[in-house]
Amino acid sequence: MGRLSGYVRAGVTHPEEAPLLREAVSLLFDGGTEAEATRWLTSQGMLTPRGNAFRREVLHRLLANPRLAGLDENGQPLEGWDERVLEPEVFHRLQKLYEERSEKRGKSREAYDYLLTGGCALCDECGPPMIGSRVHAEAPPSYKCDDCGTRINADRLEDFVAEHVLAELLKPEARERLEKLECDIEAEISRLKKHIEDAAERDASIGELYGRGLMVKAAFLAAQKASKEDLRLSKLRLKQLEQMTDLPIGDVHDLVAWWRTAPHASKKGLVLLEIEHVRVGRARGSQAPEKRVLIDWRQPTS
């Protein structure tokens, strides 16, 4: 088992890491979030034992580990652990805080269908897809970058995007362009379906190479892992693309009225058909979407 953050070895605390972790826990008790605690640890130069920057999920797993308080999985003191990063009562208080926050989120949050998740909305600061999130249990829905913390209110972003999509669709050449885009999408759907169907054959080829001794085990395992990830992403992409076809807007004359009453899936399909990505920057003196949001429009290939 590798070294646990906060300890030099079992039962001996790290002189630099342990105080930082205690301070991070204090931040949580003061109402801070795990993301804020993670950013604070990073600002202090603290890394994981493997030399990586902390992520929120990594910090959560660490703070939920009873060994941080010198306890075993049953909550009993570990023999020979003379030093602890957290005292047991502090550790138990922290776990209770996690439970309370989880219960509060479960009771207070209403379901919300995000229009731009799934890779459409990207953080323009550091690149990754933005996720649906809330600042706290009773806060309105928002889009958030889990890496750098960039956030924007969901209604503000989605209304801005909808206005621009509808404005594009009202242009004289819009219907012809949509037809070309749908042809591109259908071609990609066909390609992806074939790619997914051939996954078993590709895996069998990898296995055959390994069985014949033409591939070392490490390369075989890496190829298997890459193949599984490729299949997962291909299925996700196919699901997204299928939302963009057969949209009931061909004979719609009042697009604005249609948008107000259209099912969420149809709205999302139309947005994904029109837009490649929506890139959201950090608020710098203004929360206005026109100051923060860039739209990458999808272009027909022919």
Side-chain angles (χ1 to χ4, degrees):
M1 185 177 295
R3 180 176 76 83
L4 184 67
S5 291
Y7 289 93
V8 176
R9 59 180 182 277
V12 180
T13 56
H14 194 290
E16 297 175 356
E17 295 179 358
L20 291 176
L21 289 172
R22 294 180 189 122
E23 189 66 29
V25 170
S26 296
L27 191 155
L28 294 176
F29 287 147
D30 288 339
T33 65
E34 285 184 325
E36 290 170 337
T38 302
R39 289 196 292 273
W40 182 82
L41 287 173
T42 300
S43 73
Q44 300 301 306
M46 184 168 173
L47 301 174
T48 69
R50 293 186 176 183
N52 300 319
F54 268 92
R55 302 195 316 276
R56 183 184 60 80
E57 297 83 359
V58 174
L59 180 62
H60 181 85
R61 287 197 299 271
L62 173 63
L63 297 182
N65 189 334
R67 292 172 64 223
L68 205 63
L71 304 173
D72 63 19
E73 295 299 327
N74 298 315
Q76 298 301 312
L78 290 165
E79 185 177 350
W81 285 56
D82 299 325
E83 300 177 5
R84 296 174 289 272
V85 172
L86 299 179
E87 292 302 315
E89 57 270 22
V90 175
F91 176 78
H92 292 312
R93 181 185 166 201
L94 178 61
Q95 306 318 302
K96 185 177 180 181
L97 175 67
Y98 280 149
E99 291 176 6
E100 290 173 350
R101 289 185 175 182
S102 177
E103 290 175 1
K104 189 175 181 181
R105 284 195 297 269
K107 291 177 181 177
S108 301
R109 289 188 179 182
E110 296 179 0
Y112 183 83
D113 287 327
Y114 288 91
L115 190 66
L116 305 170
T117 50
C120 183
L122 303 179
C123 176
D124 202 35
E125 300 295 323
C126 58
M130 302 187 81
I131 62 171
S133 176
R134 300 180 192 239
V135 176
H136 54 77
E138 298 177 358
S142 61
Y143 288 83
K144 173 194 172 186
C145 173
D146 239 1
D147 286 0
C148 72
T150 295
R151 185 187 293 271
I152 188 170
N153 180 276
D155 286 344
R156 185 177 289 126
L157 176 61
E158 292 176 1
D159 287 349
F160 175 81
V161 170
E163 288 175 7
H164 283 71
V165 167
L166 292 176
E168 284 294 311
L169 290 172
L170 291 172
K171 293 179 179 179
E173 69 278 9
R175 299 304 172 90
E176 182 181 351
R177 189 169 62 84
L178 275 182
E179 290 177 1
K180 291 180 179 179
L181 285 171
E182 285 193 317
C183 288
D184 293 344
I185 297 300
E186 288 169 359
E188 189 175 353
I189 286 174
S190 297
R191 183 192 64 78
L192 273 174
K193 285 182 175 179
K194 181 67 167 58
H195 184 71
I196 291 169
E197 289 173 1
D198 292 344
E201 184 177 339
R202 290 194 299 273
D203 288 342
S205 297
I206 294 171
E208 182 181 354
L209 289 173
Y210 178 62
R212 292 167 56 191
L214 300 177
M215 181 182 287
V216 297
K217 186 175 182 180
F220 169 67
L221 294 175
Q224 274 192 324
K225 182 178 179 180
S227 179
K228 288 180 180 179
E229 179 64 8
D230 173 70
L231 181 60
R232 184 187 72 82
L233 292 175
S234 295
K235 288 180 176 179
L236 177 61
R237 176 64 174 162
L238 178 61
K239 183 178 179 181
Q240 292 173 337
L241 291 175
E242 287 176 336
Q243 290 180 307
M244 305 180 203
T245 58
D246 298 325
L247 292 171
I249 62 171
D251 297 322
V252 174
H253 299 291
D254 190 344
L255 280 169
V256 176
W258 174 84
W259 181 269
R260 289 172 181 161
T261 59
H264 178 80
S266 295
K267 291 181 179 179
K268 187 161 188 172
L270 181 58
V271 169
L272 292 175
L273 181 60
E274 278 281 283
I275 290 174
E276 191 78 40
H277 294 116
V278 176
R279 292 181 283 130
V280 181
R282 194 183 299 277
R284 292 180 173 87
S286 174
Q287 292 286 347
E290 56 267 23
K291 302 289 186 180
R292 306 179 54 190
V293 179
L294 295 173
I295 296 177
D296 296 329
W297 297 96
R298 195 181 298 276
Q299 299 298 327
T301 58
S302 60

